[in-house]
């Protein structure tokens, strides 16, 4: 079998790197990459003669089952589903497809490199050209120079292939000091270098451990939030007071977990979120209450949709992320509590809406509406809010939903809602029943009265 093409699909770029390193080291094949089902289907429709697909299941911008459906209807290419999901937890139709077809295999993450190679050979059921070269009982393994500069430290001799029988050592073990030592060979037109099989085994072992740890950390992120919310009694009390049902709690948890997974694609943002949600205080509590209260409103607003809640959820998770502490997150207005802060703390309050919005500006799958909500979440209908002093007709409708949810959640955390809730709703009616706040406020009142 010649001119092998393998499409690998995962929303974690480092896992794609691992798959490519493993496949390149053994097979002489062209590796195509995609980070979503959309990109994968585009690759399948634009590239001829793809021989194999290795794909994750849960991804933003379209899950792997969409790729399976497209493949079943069109190409019928051998397929390895590589996911952290237990096979028993897969959708019934997908599980049956895997179990009843010789064209599909299932591997549960984390996957050992030998299992990837074994199953590729098993599915393709043919002799695949090897990329390995053996000279004088020494086996050389091919690796992209890009990956050597990214992952390899100084624990291997590195070679260039001059011919099938001759290799040139370009860097000695323990002498790789700078990326430029390898990049200069790329500039000369070299895409690949080689390391011996013994060095490769150590290299791939360390790389697999590193990526497995990252995978486990990212997959447990929702547990961090779940533990945080479970440790906050006032959240559970508030949800009971608002009459929020168990099915709605489950639904909101799914939306929050999905949003966290998407945001965690950015490593810096992932670290910030984890540190943030370990705190189990006001920061976490009011953020999660905002999502629940927003959902109450959205269900009562005509022509509302799930995309609105997803945008609000992103905003709720991020809006105070740059503050990092309860004391500052509790500042809703520039009132006495704001005036009691020192100059540095005031400056942090003033800038946090822009700093938090910046965190997601480069994430293409997040709508600009989310940044707008974050920037506007301290505005007020009469123009006395900050940072821009917008009036009710200038504040976006989604921001109005968020602002009402934020203010009600803040009130519920510090007050007895059953005793003082009616008077607070009267306050909202008197001060927020104008401009773009009218429909969200009406929806909130209707939801709380029902």
């Amino acid at each position: 079998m010649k001119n092998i093409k393998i499409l690998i699909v995962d929303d974690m770029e480092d896992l794609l790197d691992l798959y490519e390193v493993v496949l390149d080291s053994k097979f002489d094949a062209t590796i195509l990459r995609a980070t979503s089902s959309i990109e994968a289907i585009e690759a399948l429709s634009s590239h001829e003669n793809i021989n194999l697909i290795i794909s994750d299941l849960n991804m933003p911008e379209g899950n792997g089952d969409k790729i399976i459906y497209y493949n079943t209807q069109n190409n019928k290419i051998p397929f390895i589903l590589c996911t952290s999901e237990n096979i028993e937890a897969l959708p019934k139709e997908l599980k049956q497809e895997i179990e009843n077809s010789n064209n599909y295999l299932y591997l549960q993450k984390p996957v050992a490199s030998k299992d990837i190679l074994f199953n590729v050979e098993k599915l393709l059921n043919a002799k695949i050209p090897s990329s390995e070269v053996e000279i004088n009982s020494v086996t050389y393994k091919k690796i992209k120079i890009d990956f050597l500069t990214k992952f390899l430290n100084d624990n291997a001799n590195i070679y260039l292939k001059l011919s099938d029988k001759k290799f040139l050592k370009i860097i000695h073990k323990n002498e790789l000091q700078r990326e430029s030592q390898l990049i200069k060979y790329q500039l000369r037109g070299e895409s690949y270098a080689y390391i011996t099989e013994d060095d490769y085994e150590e290299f791939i072992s360390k790389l697999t451990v590193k990526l497995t740890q990252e995978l486990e950390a990212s997959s447990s992120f929702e547990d961090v939030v779940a533990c945080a919310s479970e440790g906050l009694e006032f959240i559970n009390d508030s949800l009971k007071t608002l009459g929020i049902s168990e099915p709605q709690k489950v639904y909101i948890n799914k939306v929050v977990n999905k949003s966290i997974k998407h945001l965690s694609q950015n490593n810096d943002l992932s670290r910030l979120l984890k540190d943030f949600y370990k705190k189990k205080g006001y920061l976490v509590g009011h953020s999660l209450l905002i999502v629940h209260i927003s959902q109450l409103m959205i269900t009562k607003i005509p022509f509302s949709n799930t995309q609105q809640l997803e945008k609000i959820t992103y905003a709720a998770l991020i809006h105070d992320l740059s503050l990092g502490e309860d004391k500052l997150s509790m500042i809703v207005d520039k009132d006495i509590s704001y005036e009691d802060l020192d100059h540095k703390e005031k400056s942090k309050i003033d800038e946090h809406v822009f700093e938090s919005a910046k965190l997601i500006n480069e994430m293409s799958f997040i709508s600009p509406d989310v940044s707008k909500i974050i920037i506007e979440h301290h505005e007020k209908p009469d123009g006395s809010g900050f940072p821009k002093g917008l009036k009710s007709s200038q504040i976006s409708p989604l921001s109005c939903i968020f602002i009402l949810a934020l203010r009600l959640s803040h009130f519920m955390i510090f007050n007895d809602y059953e005793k003082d809730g009616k008077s607070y709703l009267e306050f909202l009616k008197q001060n927020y029943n104008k401009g773009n706040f009218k429909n969200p406020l009406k929806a909130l009142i209707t939801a709380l009265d029902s």
Side-chain angles (χ1 to χ4, degrees):
M1 186 179 285
K2 296 181 179 180
N3 302 320
I4 295 292
K5 289 183 185 177
I6 301 175
L7 173 63
I8 54 177
V9 192
D10 201 290
D11 58 321
M12 288 184 66
E13 291 281 357
D14 280 353
L15 273 181
L16 290 179
D17 292 345
L18 174 62
Y19 295 155
E20 190 165 354
V21 167
V22 169
L23 294 168
D24 274 339
S25 72
K26 179 71 174 177
F27 305 125
D28 186 10
T30 299
I31 310 299
L32 306 173
R33 298 167 58 127
T35 58
S36 69
S37 66
I38 295 173
E39 289 183 13
I41 290 169
E42 286 178 355
L44 289 168
S45 60
S46 59
H47 289 270
E48 293 183 355
N49 302 321
I50 292 176
N51 302 94
L52 177 70
I53 303 167
I54 302 174
S55 178
D56 188 17
L57 177 62
N58 297 312
M59 296 177 287
E61 299 184 34
N63 284 344
D65 54 354
K66 290 185 171 63
I67 308 171
I68 291 176
Y69 178 78
Y70 179 88
N71 184 49
T72 302
Q73 298 298 312
N74 296 277
N75 310 78
K76 296 181 173 58
I77 297 168
F79 196 110
I80 298 176
L81 181 66
C82 195
T83 175
S84 55
E85 295 275 355
N86 185 285
I87 192 166
E88 298 302 325
L90 297 178
K92 184 178 179 181
E93 291 182 2
L94 178 55
K95 182 172 177 284
Q96 289 176 342
E97 185 77 54
I98 292 169
E99 292 176 339
N100 298 333
S101 172
N102 294 327
N103 231 24
Y104 287 84
L105 288 175
Y106 159 86
L107 295 176
Q108 187 168 10
K109 292 178 181 176
V111 185
S113 57
K114 60 182 177 57
D115 291 333
I116 295 173
L117 298 175
F118 173 80
N119 284 285
V120 167
E121 289 184 312
K122 177 180 176 181
L123 262 189
L124 291 183
N125 196 28
K127 180 67 176 175
I128 307 172
S130 175
S131 63
E132 297 176 330
V133 179
E134 185 176 333
I135 301 176
N136 298 327
S137 301
V138 176
T139 300
Y140 296 88
K141 311 277 278 187
K142 183 174 78 170
I143 301 181
K144 269 188 177 178
I145 292 177
D146 282 340
F147 297 142
L148 287 172
T149 59
K150 184 174 182 179
F151 297 118
L152 188 63
N153 294 318
D154 59 354
N155 56 350
N157 294 315
I158 301 175
Y159 301 82
L160 282 185
K161 180 182 176 183
L162 302 182
S163 69
D164 285 339
K165 295 185 179 180
K166 188 172 183 181
F167 282 76
L168 173 67
K169 186 185 294 183
I170 56 174
I171 295 175
H172 291 266
K173 185 176 288 192
N174 302 320
E175 290 186 3
L176 179 59
Q177 298 170 343
R178 298 178 306 278
E179 289 183 5
S180 59
Q181 289 176 276
L182 285 166
I183 291 172
K184 68 180 181 181
Y185 292 100
Q186 284 182 306
L187 296 175
R188 296 175 189 174
E190 301 287 348
S191 298
Y192 293 90
Y194 287 76
I195 61 178
T196 63
E197 187 169 36
D198 289 343
D199 286 336
Y200 171 82
E201 293 302 328
E202 183 180 355
F203 165 64
I204 202 68
S205 175
K206 288 182 177 179
L207 177 57
T208 303
V209 168
K210 172 183 179 291
L211 297 185
T212 298
Q213 288 172 342
E214 289 182 4
L215 177 64
E216 289 172 348
S218 66
S219 64
S220 63
F221 199 131
E222 54 265 36
D223 296 332
V224 174
V225 178
C227 290
S229 60
E230 286 170 7
L232 297 168
E233 290 184 9
F234 63 78
I235 284 190
N236 293 322
D237 291 342
S238 298
L239 297 182
K240 288 177 185 175
T241 301
L242 292 170
I244 291 174
S245 65
E246 286 302 319
Q248 183 179 343
K249 290 180 190 177
V250 171
Y251 173 66
I252 293 298
N253 285 338
K254 286 182 179 178
V255 174
V256 169
N257 290 343
K258 178 183 175 184
S259 301
I260 286 170
K261 181 174 181 181
H262 291 183
L263 293 171
S264 298
Q265 293 177 77
N266 180 298
N267 290 332
D268 293 334
L269 187 54
S270 179
R271 283 190 290 271
L272 280 173
L273 280 164
K274 278 186 180 173
D275 290 342
F276 185 90
Y277 284 99
K278 284 177 183 174
K279 297 180 181 178
K280 299 187 180 181
Y282 177 88
L283 283 164
V284 179
H286 90 284
S287 298
L288 298 177
L289 269 179
I290 286 170
V291 183
H292 283 283
I293 296 170
S294 296
Q295 171 64 357
L296 285 178
M297 282 185 270
I298 287 171
T299 57
K300 301 296 181 181
I301 297 174
F303 310 113
S304 60
N305 55 57
T306 56
Q307 284 73 33
Q308 291 173 326
L309 182 64
E310 288 176 358
K311 291 173 184 178
I312 285 174
T313 302
Y314 283 131
L317 292 168
I318 295 169
H319 74 290
D320 280 351
L321 205 56
S322 62
L323 290 175
E325 55 180 302
D326 283 347
K327 174 186 174 183
L328 298 183
S329 185
M330 291 176 188
I331 304 295
V332 177
D333 297 309
K334 290 191 175 181
D335 52 16
I336 296 173
S337 55
Y338 173 83
E339 294 303 328
D340 287 340
L341 301 175
D342 62 34
H343 176 74
K344 185 176 180 181
E345 289 171 328
K346 285 180 181 177
S347 178
K348 203 167 185 180
I349 291 290
D350 294 345
E351 296 298 322
H352 84 280
V353 294
F354 301 109
E355 293 299 320
S356 294
K358 271 185 200 175
L359 294 171
I360 56 167
N361 282 347
E362 295 181 3
M363 304 187 79
S364 59
F365 64 86
I366 294 183
S367 165
D369 291 343
V370 177
S371 291
K372 194 174 185 67
I373 295 169
I374 293 171
I375 290 170
E376 294 179 350
H377 76 270
H378 284 288
E379 300 290 353
K380 299 171 74 173
D382 62 0
S384 64
F386 68 95
K388 297 183 178 180
L390 303 176
K391 293 193 174 181
S392 58
S393 60
Q394 299 172 300
I395 303 169
S396 77
L398 269 181
S399 296
C400 291
I401 295 173
F402 190 93
I403 291 166
L404 287 171
L406 182 151
R407 290 186 172 271
L408 180 56
S409 69
H410 182 79
F411 174 83
M412 294 185 75
I413 289 169
F414 293 104
N415 298 273
D416 184 341
Y417 182 82
E418 291 185 348
K419 178 183 175 184
D420 302 317
K422 286 187 178 180
S423 61
Y424 187 71
L425 292 181
E426 285 301 318
F427 165 79
L428 291 179
K429 289 177 185 177
Q430 292 173 18
N431 293 277
Y432 285 80
N433 193 23
K434 57 184 74 173
N436 290 332
F437 283 94
K438 279 188 175 182
N439 285 336
L441 180 61
K442 181 181 178 182
L444 179 60
I445 302 298
T446 302
L448 294 176
D449 285 344
S450 60

